[in-house]
Amino acid sequence: MAEPILEVRDLVKHYPLTQGILFKKQVGAVKAVDGISFSLQKGETLGIVGESGCGKSTL
């Protein structure tokens, strides 16, 4: 099998939720993407679809 032209393994991006104005404290996180993996071979086309706010742009 040929080498992929794009390969992503276990991609994770969480955005911190903070509380406070002067002294910000992290109180949680929003999971934009969590554990996404894929590979793209020459000649293939990848489409990313989903609801608004599901992490497409972050991916």
Side-chain angles (χ1 to χ4, degrees), residues 30-46:
V30 174
K31 294 180 180 180
V33 292
D34 193 18
I36 294 177
S37 298
F38 64 88
S39 62
L40 191 62
Q41 302 294 326
K42 184 176 180 178
E44 292 182 324
T45 301
L46 175 67

Side-chain angles (χ1 to χ4, degrees), residues 12-56:
V12 174
K13 178 60 181 171
H14 297 174
Y15 291 98
L17 289 175
T18 58
Q19 187 176 42
I21 297 170
L22 187 55
F23 298 103
K24 291 191 177 192
K25 173 182 163 185
Q26 185 172 339
V27 294
V30 174
K31 294 180 180 180
V33 292
D34 193 18
I36 294 177
S37 298
F38 64 88
S39 62
L40 191 62
Q41 302 294 326
K42 184 176 180 178
E44 292 182 324
T45 301
L46 175 67
I48 308 295
V49 296
E51 295 182 18
S52 177
C54 73
K56 297 180 303 289

